[in-house]
């Protein structure tokens, strides 16, 4: 399978939510062994194109006693990604919006390999840095998942300023 014509070179501002006081982990990979676009402890950095995207993305993980979080700006530079917001790119990769938006954790809990893992494995195997996807919760928002960053020949991702403070207790 070829991704020719579906590669995007990305530079821009993205955002990541983190508990206040854990800023030292801001550029660390996702802690969970498995996630929507990673499995088996593969590295993944989950970002959003707007602070609101972070809020939507972590909504399902919120706990009643969560402490305030910061939504931190990060500047991504020189990432070679596959843009799965585009229907023709999804077709070239062999996936659909429905497959991308499955409840991956439910499938995994039942011993089923979520289709998102197959897509991310393909993208990793082709040497790309990550992928852009529409938010499952709000398709007008975009998420960026990086598979590698801040290493030789990888995109650079430095912090880019002060966080927006967000108290998850204010979600209605």
């Amino acid at each position: 399978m070829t991704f020719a014509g579906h590669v995007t070179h990305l530079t821009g501002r993205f955002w990541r939510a983190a508990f206040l006081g854990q800023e030292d982990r801001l550029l660390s990979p996702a802690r969970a062994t498995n996630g929507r676009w990673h499995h088996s402890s593969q590295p993944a950095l989950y970002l959003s194109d707007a602070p609101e995207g972070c809020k939507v993305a972590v909504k399902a993980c919120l706990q009643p006693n969560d402490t305030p979080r910061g939504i931190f700006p990060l500047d991504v530079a020189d990432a070679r990604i596959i843009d799965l917001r585009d229907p023709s790119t999804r077709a070239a990769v062999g996936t659909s919006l429905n497959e991308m938006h499955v409840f991956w954790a439910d499938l995994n809990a039942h011993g089923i390999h979520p289709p998102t893992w197959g897509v991310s494995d393909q993208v990793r195997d082709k040497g790309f840095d990550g992928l852009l996807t529409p938010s499952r919760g709000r398709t007008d928002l975009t998420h960026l998942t990086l598979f590698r960053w801040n290493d030789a020949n990888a995109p650079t991702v430095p912090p880019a300023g002060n966080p927006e403070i967000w108290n998850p207790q204010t979600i209605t």
Side-chain angles (χ1 to χ4, degrees), residues 1 5 7 9 13 33 35 43 60 66 74 80 124 146 151-152 155:
M1 177 172 302
V7 179
H9 294 274
R13 170 86 28 108
T33 302
D66 276 354
L74 303 169
R80 282 185 59 241
R124 285 173 193 273
L146 291 175
D151 288 328

Side-chain angles (χ1 to χ4, degrees), residues 139-153:
T139 56
D140 62 313
L141 298 170
T142 296
H143 299 305
L144 170 64
T145 305
L146 291 175
F147 305 137
R148 52 196 206 103
W149 60 97
N150 294 344
D151 288 328
N153 300 314

Side-chain angles (χ1 to χ4, degrees), residues 36-142:
R36 179 168 301 281
W37 299 106
H38 77 282
H39 62 91
S40 309
S41 297
Q42 295 168 316
L45 185 66
Y46 289 95
L47 308 173
S48 294
D49 69 340
E52 185 65 22
C54 293
K55 295 173 185 177
V56 169
V58 301
K59 190 173 182 178
C61 303
L62 296 176
Q63 300 296 315
N65 60 344
D66 276 354
T67 59
R69 298 174 193 238
I71 301 177
F72 294 83
L74 303 169
D75 285 336
V76 175
D78 301 320
R80 282 185 59 241
I81 56 97
I82 298 297
D83 189 347
L84 294 176
R85 298 172 302 173
D86 176 59
S88 67
T89 302
R90 289 193 297 268
V93 173
T95 193
S96 68
L97 200 55
N98 287 338
E99 285 181 337
M100 289 171 41
H101 289 168
V102 298
F103 289 101
W104 71 269
D106 291 347
L107 293 175
N108 183 47
H110 289 95
I112 300 168
H113 193 87
T116 53
W117 294 355
V119 170
S120 65
D121 285 347
Q122 282 184 72
V123 174
R124 285 173 193 273
D125 290 348
K126 295 286 186 181
F128 294 101
D129 300 317
L131 43 87
L132 281 172
T133 57
S135 170
R136 190 181 68 76
R138 275 192 38 202
T139 56
D140 62 313
L141 298 170
T142 296

